[in-house]
Every structure is written in C-alpha cells, then in structure tokens.
Amino acid sequence: MKYVDEFRDGDVAAKLATAIAREADTGRDYAFMEFCGGHTHAISRYGVTDLLPVNVRMIHGPGCPVCVLPIGRIDMAIRLVLSRPDVILCTYGDCLRVPASEQLSLLKAKARGGDVRMVYSAADALALASKHPEREVVFFAIGFETTTPPTALVIKQAQAIGLANFSVICNHVLTPSAIMTILESPEVRDLGTVPLDGFIGPAHVSTIIGSRPYAFFAEEYRKPVVIAGFEPLDVMQAIRMLIRQVNEGRAEVENEFTRAVSEDGNLKAQALVSEVFELRRSFEWRGLHEVPYSALRIRRAFADWDAECKFGLAFKSVPDNKACECGAILRGVKTPTDCKIFGTVCTPENPMGSCMVSSEGACAAHYNYGRFRDIPVVAEPSAAVS
C-alpha cells in the first residue's frame, strides 16, 4: 500500500473482519487496550468495534497527553500568566480549554487579561520570543515522546543564540512508565483496573523510541504488544495479530507499522532529548496519580530556560471534579458513557473534564462520532498533540 485511501478500503476491512471472527476463539474473551488516543479516534470514527466479534473488547488507555495532564500543572501556568503582565504564555490549542481550578482554563485566563496564545509548534513560541525581546515568552510544553524532541531543539536554539526571554514549562511524559503503572501500580489496583490480554502500541511515539522498549512488558508481564498505525486497517490488522499471539500462548512485540517504526527508533531525536532533559523522580498523572520516573524535566545546564526555576513555580496537587469520570476512563475501568454527565452537562462546547476537550480524548471520540445512543452529536475536529 502506498496511499492513505488504501488503508481505509472497505472491502479489505470486511475481509479482515471475517478473518478476525474466524480466528477469535469463541470459548474465551479478549480484552485489548489501545494506549494511544489516536487509535481510540480511529476505532470510533471508522466503527472498528462494530466489525469485531462480541468477545473482542477494545479498552481506552491513557495515551492522550492533554487528558493525563493534572489540574495543578494548568493552575501553575494560569497563576504565572495572571500575575505577570510581562509574560506571554504559549501552548497548543488542545490545552487552552482544559478545565482548571475555580472554573478557570487557559482560555478563560486570557479573557481575564492574561496574554495566552495558541501556537502550532515549539518553533512558533521561540520565534515569538525573538520578535518580542521586551516580553517573557513561556512555552507550556506537553506531549509524549513524539513532541519532546522539538521542545528540546528550541531550548538548545535559545541557548545557542542567547535568547534570555524564552523559557519552557515542561510537562513531557513517557509511555513505558504509564503502561507499567497500568499493569502493576498499587494505586491503580485500589482505584480499579481491568484484565488485559495485550496492547496496541502507539504509532507516533514508537517512531521516536522504536519497538525495543516494549519488550520488557511482553516478557515480564506476558502481555503481547503490537505497534500499529492510525488507519482503520492498521488497527484491525493489529487486533488480528494480538488474537493470534493470545491463541498461540505468545507474548511478543510485533510491529504492524513497519512503514514508519523501526526497532531502535530515531536515534538522533533520542540523543537530543537525553542532552536537554532528565527523568523526574515522580510526576502526577490524571487517573494514575503519582507515577515514578514517568516524566522529564530540563537539565541544570539549561536551567536558564526552565520556567519552573526561572519564576519559582510550584506544583500543587488538585483533585478532579467529583462528577467527572476522566480518571477511571483513562485507566480503562469505565467508558465515556458510564459517566453521568457525558453528553449532557459535559460536551465539547462545555467540557467538564480533559477527555472531552482533547481531540485525542476518549469522550470526545465517543461524542464526535456518535458511539452512544439518544444524544445528538456534532463533529468538531481539531489539532492534537501526541
């Protein structure tokens, strides 16, 4: 296959569905987690679950960087931009509407007078700092391993040109740590979890880190992992590969997304990230609580471009809205339709939780593509961060 339409061929999808139904053992159930929000949207948008046997269940994972961002990190950015008129806070569009404390969001902070701006890339934020040397430009950086190298690059560029009015609030998180937490964390066991037979590994993240990091989960926890692209045929083929592994008693890492993912990943990007960032001892995730060694911080050599050091920012943990089930949805314990406020009080126009805000969120996927009954839907595509 060479063109994207070929990965959306209905006839091929029907043949794959038949093959999956034939190979799935009717005497058992299968539960697979698609870690990445991009896969969740592909499954909802193209109705993949409607093509699967009833004993094959897909479970949403925490692979949406906006969704897992704790309220306290957004509060930190809001406090900065409202207390410092000289600050321009830049971030991706998905972050602007995530609910924070006191019914605020970055967009509402902008309405209160904070200079909050949407950017399409880290390079846009760096260019803004060059254009406004009289202002402090702070980039609120989020994302998994996919968006981490561009952030590292702009920090290095700022150091190279001596751009002192640019800094970064780093919220970059790591995929392998989240998978490990889902499998063994005592906090998740207390909060509830689900039995899993395997994972569909993320696509874009894996182009950076490669397939090798997933081998530990396959070997240690006996959970097969199949890395898949974001098109519907990618996802269906990955499900078929997982079913085969389970049926044969194998637990291996397989790569369906061979057109983009290698075993070692992007070594240049990995080296750049390692040069600029180091591991945090712990980082709070929405739905998973504190996860050890699951996020990155800026190294001391680049401390002048670390906004948390530069402005003395402190993180304060804040509980989620009690009515919102985002935490349980991110753990795969509940589905969006299990939430009492889904599609009524909580909609894309009036989100109560992060899973409804992000275009990679499970709630947004269910709402936009009508994966529920009796609630009117309106599709609202938007840019996402991964």
Side-chain angles (χ1 to χ4, degrees):
M1 296 186 187
K2 293 173 61 178
Y3 305 105
V4 68
D5 287 350
E6 298 177 53
F7 291 91
R8 301 173 183 175
D9 188 300
D11 293 335
V12 178
K15 292 177 182 178
L16 267 175
T18 300
I20 290 171
R22 183 176 62 248
E23 295 181 24
D25 184 350
T26 56
R28 63 155 298 157
D29 292 329
Y30 301 84
F32 302 127
M33 175 174 280
E34 79 272 4
F35 181 89
C36 184
H39 288 135
T40 298
H41 274 252
I43 289 169
S44 292
R45 179 180 179 183
Y46 296 103
V48 171
T49 51
D50 297 338
L51 300 175
L52 300 177
V54 293
N55 61 330
V56 178
R57 179 187 174 199
M58 300 307 299
I59 299 166
H60 316 304
C64 161
V66 174
C67 301
V68 300
L69 192 66
I71 291 173
R73 299 294 293 183
I74 304 166
D75 285 351
M76 190 168 67
I78 290 173
R79 287 195 300 270
L80 173 65
V81 75
L82 290 182
S83 65
R84 293 285 301 258
D86 60 325
V87 166
I88 300 174
L89 185 80
C90 305
T91 192
Y92 300 117
D94 272 359
C95 292
L96 296 180
R97 296 172 60 241
V98 176
S101 298
E102 300 176 0
Q103 298 184 328
L104 280 176
S105 65
L106 286 171
L107 198 60
K108 291 179 180 178
K110 178 180 178 69
R112 290 192 178 187
D115 196 343
V116 179
R117 306 188 190 186
M118 186 188 79
V119 292
Y120 288 100
S121 69
D124 288 348
L126 187 71
L128 194 63
S130 298
K131 186 178 180 181
H132 296 282
E134 77 286 359
R135 303 285 300 277
E136 288 285 348
V137 176
V138 179
F139 178 51
F140 189 74
I142 70 161
F144 286 95
E145 290 89 344
T146 314
T147 55
T148 306
T151 304
L153 182 61
V154 295
I155 291 173
K156 279 202 69 177
Q157 289 176 329
Q159 183 190 55
I161 62 178
L163 196 62
N165 68 319
F166 177 76
S167 58
V168 173
I169 297 177
C170 179
N171 303 289
H172 287 298
V173 289
L174 305 173
T175 301
S177 300
I179 295 177
M180 185 180 298
T181 297
I182 290 168
L183 290 172
E184 70 169 18
S185 166
E187 288 84 0
V188 170
R189 283 201 295 270
D190 291 341
L191 292 165
T193 186
V194 289
L196 295 173
D197 296 304
F199 290 89
I200 293 183
H204 292 158
V205 163
S206 300
T207 64
I208 303 297
I209 68 174
S211 62
R212 195 185 302 275
Y214 306 107
F216 173 78
F217 309 110
E219 295 171 7
E220 184 73 13
Y221 300 100
R222 301 300 300 166
K223 302 294 183 185
V225 178
V226 176
I227 298 163
F230 286 130
E231 296 303 322
L233 296 189
D234 286 318
V235 176
M236 293 185 71
Q237 178 62 21
I239 293 169
R240 185 184 185 187
M241 293 165 73
L242 284 170
I243 289 172
R244 284 179 176 176
Q245 285 207 47
V246 172
N247 289 348
E248 296 168 8
R250 294 185 291 119
E252 302 170 3
V253 178
E254 293 184 320
N255 182 14
E256 184 276 337
F257 199 31
T258 53
R259 63 188 185 274
V261 174
S262 64
E263 187 175 19
D264 294 323
N266 188 326
L267 297 178
K268 286 186 177 180
Q270 293 171 26
L272 177 62
V273 169
S274 180
E275 180 183 356
V276 176
F277 297 110
E278 62 186 7
L279 284 173
R280 294 180 187 263
R281 287 187 178 272
S282 185
F283 191 81
E284 183 178 320
W285 290 52
R286 189 188 300 257
L288 301 180
H289 291 214
E290 289 287 333
V291 180
Y293 301 106
S294 64
L296 300 173
R297 66 183 180 191
I298 299 169
R299 290 186 181 274
R300 289 185 180 179
F302 299 92
D304 288 346
W305 294 272
D306 184 346
E308 293 181 61
C309 295
K310 189 174 188 178
F311 299 104
L313 303 179
F315 170 77
K316 295 180 182 178
S317 183
V318 179
D320 289 336
N321 186 326
K322 291 182 179 180
C324 177
E325 296 285 3
C326 274
I329 291 166
L330 290 167
R331 296 194 308 277
V333 178
K334 293 186 177 182
T335 65
T337 51
D338 292 328
C339 182
K340 294 179 180 179
I341 61 174
F342 172 78
T344 53
V345 176
C346 184
T347 66
E349 295 83 7
N350 183 46
M352 294 290 106
S354 57
C355 295
M356 186 62 89
V357 174
S358 173
S359 59
E360 287 194 358
C363 294
H366 276 243
Y367 189 94
N368 288 337
Y369 301 116
R371 309 308 298 170
F372 57 97
R373 297 178 180 177
D374 302 326
I375 301 176
V377 298
V378 179
E380 289 191 344
S382 64
V385 183
S386 53

